Amino acid sequence: MNRRQFLAAPAATLLAGPALGQNARSKTLRFVPQANLSSLDPIWTSAHIARNHGYLVYDTLYAMDRGYQMHPQMAAGHSIEDDGLRWIITLREGLAFHDGEPVRARDAVASIRRWAQRVAFGQKLMSVTEELSALDDRRIQFRLKKPFPLLPNALGLAGQPPFIMPERIARTDAFRQITDPTGSGPFRFKPDEYISGDRAIYERNAAYVPRPDGTPSFVAGPKRALLDRIEWRIITDAGTASAALQAGEIDWFEQPAFELTQLFARNRNIRVSALDSAGTNGFLRLNHLHAPFDDKRARQAVLRATKQEDFLIADFGTDPAFWRTGTGVFTPGGPMANDAGLEWVSGPQDIARSQALLREAGRAGALARLLGATDIPSIAARGPVAADLLQRLGFELDFSESDWGTLLQRRNSREPLDKGGWSAIFSGFTAYDFADPASHPLLRGNGLDGYLGWPTIPQLETLREQWFDAPDEASRKAIARDIQRVALEEVCYIPTGTGLSRTALRADLQDRLEGFPVFWNLRRG
């Protein structure tokens, strides 16, 4: 069972197959996600736990299949006029929000506008848009400044798509979290049963109208929910979650630590498999706004001293079959993967040279604050590795650990260290997120308008624009080489390798799931 058999919410909504059974228990999935659902807003945060929630509750205009191709989802289709300068997208009939109100074009317009303020691909789309408007209740119009054939790719961005919300909610400031989770997706969120840090509950939306055509593939195609209820059980203690799975009190443990998967593999009632067969791309992000990493030499010092293997072994174990070193800024094996500038990440670990760079930059012995999370096994495993690296380089380290929900709040701070800011964070993104410059959230050099860490790298922005304007795939691949070279030299972020996380679920559940088309599990490493 691989990632393409699971849903865009780790809880996995079953689709388009026979029911799991007729009794109430078999129609309920009890699931332990990899983190607490601390935010209900998948636009305000890029955390995959919120994105997983989003794919249950909301729907999208377009969606990506497993071959990176886009398909209409809420859209019935589109027309292109005026030499590519005018797109008209028509909504499918019968779409309705959970409150009974029909989905209208103006809801989509407001949702796209809010999303575009937070997501790099959306920012690019709006930069080439002269006008975005609702022509009537079912038709959305883009009038463009220049042709932009990647428009459906933006609206169907798998990583952080413009989930369609009611206009009254989508008008919320993009930098303030929404609290009303009304969507139009296959499941309704149950606010009355939601307790942050304990549970999140979803019930099947009986009024949902799936696409009438196609076959489910990745996040594209008809979404026919076969479960009546999905229960996210927030169990932050791995031992407790492990015992619950072995006792049959839960059905699925999304991301157990490597050591636990070895234990589960000896239990005939539990199946262990790869959570994401394409892997997770790990990263260490340094804060470019403030000392010590506002100086490129300090960032290069950390990059030169980083050994990807150390992070990968801590997270995925010693078997190299489950991880890959030499990872650049693009997903290995993806369309834009290349070897430009990889000497920055594949060369020998040189602590002495790195310490010399820090002295040259006047950052030797400087205070650095590393944020870590204790309740996500993969992040908890990498934390000591990052902390040890910074300490060996001579930083005065403040390793500040918390639960993931708290970290999500803290990492948004742009303040200096003496006012509660941070110096470094680490996490991971899925293969699809790092496939190319359009979807890659970390490959921006647009300062405060960009992703956490806020690097200002004008050359990177110029190359990214050239990539969008390139006439063909060969030209885009050539530019991707330059993008990787600049990103590594400027240390936009530090790649820490690509690995395969494991997941564990009841064997009888997997037996019933095998062969059924279901959504993919979009998860955050």
Side-chain angles (χ1 to χ4, degrees):
M1 188 185 300
N2 60 41
R3 67 190 174 104
R4 296 187 175 104
Q5 292 174 286
F6 287 106
L7 165 57
T13 309
L14 296 183
L15 308 172
L20 293 182
Q22 299 306 314
N23 61 72
R25 183 183 177 282
S26 68
K27 302 283 283 190
T28 297
L29 181 67
R30 303 162 303 170
F31 177 79
V32 176
Q34 42 88 0
N36 176 40
L37 182 66
S38 60
S39 173
L40 303 180
D41 191 342
I43 304 304
W44 178 83
T45 178
S46 62
H48 287 195
I49 189 70
R51 178 173 72 181
N52 297 346
H53 157 84
Y55 271 102
L56 283 174
V57 175
Y58 303 103
D59 215 341
T60 58
L61 293 174
Y62 292 83
M64 180 188 288
D65 69 17
R66 66 186 61 184
Y68 295 89
Q69 299 302 306
M70 289 295 162
H71 301 270
Q73 192 64 30
M74 298 175 76
H78 61 256
S79 62
I80 306 173
E81 305 171 3
D82 299 337
D83 296 324
L85 296 180
R86 185 171 186 248
W87 290 61
I88 297 177
I89 301 169
T90 303
L91 295 174
R92 288 192 288 120
E93 294 183 355
L95 301 178
F97 289 112
H98 299 152
D99 59 7
E101 285 293 310
V103 177
R104 299 180 174 92
R106 65 174 181 263
D107 300 306
V109 168
S111 298
I112 294 167
R113 289 190 182 281
R114 183 171 188 264
W115 161 80
Q117 295 180 61
R118 297 302 302 255
V119 178
F121 207 166
Q123 292 167 0
K124 174 58 183 178
L125 173 59
M126 295 310 294
S127 74
V128 299
T129 298
E130 185 72 38
E131 176 191 344
L132 170 58
S133 60
L135 296 178
D136 51 38
D137 282 352
R138 289 187 57 207
R139 292 187 301 159
I140 305 154
Q141 174 182 249
F142 281 87
R143 290 183 54 247
L144 304 177
K145 301 173 185 177
K146 62 181 181 180
F148 192 69
L150 294 177
L151 190 149
N153 299 64
L155 300 181
L157 179 68
Q160 194 175 8
F163 291 114
I164 304 304
M165 306 174 178
E167 181 185 31
R168 61 181 174 80
I169 299 172
R171 286 188 176 275
T172 303
D173 187 318
F175 295 89
R176 182 165 63 87
Q177 296 184 64
I178 64 168
T179 56
D180 182 344
T182 299
S184 67
F187 284 83
R188 299 170 183 265
F189 183 75
K190 297 280 291 177
D192 58 325
E193 297 188 59
Y194 170 59
I195 302 175
S196 180
D198 183 70
R199 73 192 66 170
I201 307 297
Y202 305 84
E203 288 188 347
R204 185 171 66 88
N205 174 17
Y208 181 75
V209 179
R211 284 201 65 83
D213 56 341
T215 301
S217 174
F218 192 34
V219 291
K223 301 176 181 178
R224 301 188 180 98
L226 301 180
L227 292 170
D228 289 336
R229 182 178 170 94
I230 295 175
E231 299 178 356
W232 286 12
R233 309 279 185 86
I234 312 303
I235 305 177
T236 57
D237 180 75
T240 302
S242 172
L245 179 63
Q246 294 178 85
E249 296 169 359
I250 62 170
D251 304 307
W252 195 341
F253 187 177
E254 182 190 12
Q255 195 179 344
F258 166 69
E259 294 79 8
L260 287 176
T261 63
Q262 293 181 305
L263 171 66
F264 295 150
R266 296 193 292 269
N267 188 325
R268 63 186 179 87
N269 296 317
I270 297 174
R271 299 282 177 83
V272 176
S273 57
L275 181 60
D276 182 344
S277 61
T280 295
N281 298 304
F283 68 87
L284 178 64
R285 180 76 152 189
L286 305 177
N287 191 333
H288 290 229
L289 294 182
H290 304 294
F293 299 122
D294 55 340
D295 190 295
K296 179 171 71 173
R297 293 167 294 183
R299 300 194 299 272
Q300 289 177 337
V302 180
L303 176 59
R304 286 187 178 278
T306 298
K307 189 177 181 182
Q308 292 185 353
E309 185 176 356
D310 292 342
F311 286 89
L312 293 166
I313 289 175
D315 193 357
F316 303 103
T318 57
D319 187 349
F322 287 93
W323 43 261
R324 175 173 176 170
T325 59
T327 299
V329 301
F330 298 112
T331 296
M336 296 297 136
N338 64 81
D339 60 0
L342 286 187
E343 62 273 10
W344 284 99
V345 298
S346 58
Q349 189 181 42
D350 192 340
I351 296 294
R353 171 60 179 148
S354 293
Q355 290 173 334
L357 276 173
L358 290 173
R359 290 192 296 271
E360 182 182 318
R363 298 294 191 269
L367 174 65
R369 180 171 296 127
L370 174 68
L371 300 185
T374 58
D375 55 344
I376 297 183
S378 63
I379 293 181
R382 296 178 220 170
V385 178
D388 177 69
L389 171 63
L390 295 176
Q391 287 177 322
R392 284 190 292 125
L393 288 173
F395 287 103
E396 179 187 341
L397 181 66
D398 175 12
F399 184 20
S400 181
E401 293 185 287
S402 65
D403 63 87
W404 179 245
T406 300
L407 186 150
L408 291 180
Q409 306 292 328
R410 293 189 64 187
R411 70 181 191 174
N412 288 310
S413 173
R414 297 172 176 173
E415 297 293 338
L417 296 183
D418 60 359
K419 294 185 178 180
W422 56 273
S423 306
I425 57 174
F426 50 94
S427 189
F429 278 93
T430 64
Y432 285 83
D433 292 305
F434 283 11
D436 59 45
S439 61
H440 202 312
L442 303 184
L443 280 185
R444 296 301 308 272
N446 56 338
L448 295 178
D449 291 328
Y451 190 79
L452 307 165
W454 308 285
T456 298
I457 309 173
Q459 187 180 3
L460 186 59
E461 287 295 289
T462 299
L463 287 168
R464 185 171 178 271
E465 290 300 308
Q466 291 174 1
W467 186 90
F468 277 110
D469 293 336
D472 51 44
E473 186 77 354
S475 300
R476 283 190 286 271
K477 287 184 176 183
I479 297 169
R481 294 183 60 83
D482 292 334
I483 287 176
Q484 178 163 283
R485 185 179 295 107
V486 170
L488 291 174
E489 182 178 344
E490 295 289 332
V491 197
C492 184
Y493 72 95
I494 298 174
T496 59
T498 300
L500 292 175
S501 295
R502 284 85 150 184
T503 193
L505 63 162
R506 290 190 356 254
D508 61 328
L509 175 65
Q510 177 161 346
D511 289 340
R512 286 179 288 168
L513 293 182
E514 286 286 7
F516 291 141
V518 294
F519 288 117
W520 175 53
N521 168 24
L522 286 169
R523 43 76 74 187
R524 184 186 184 98

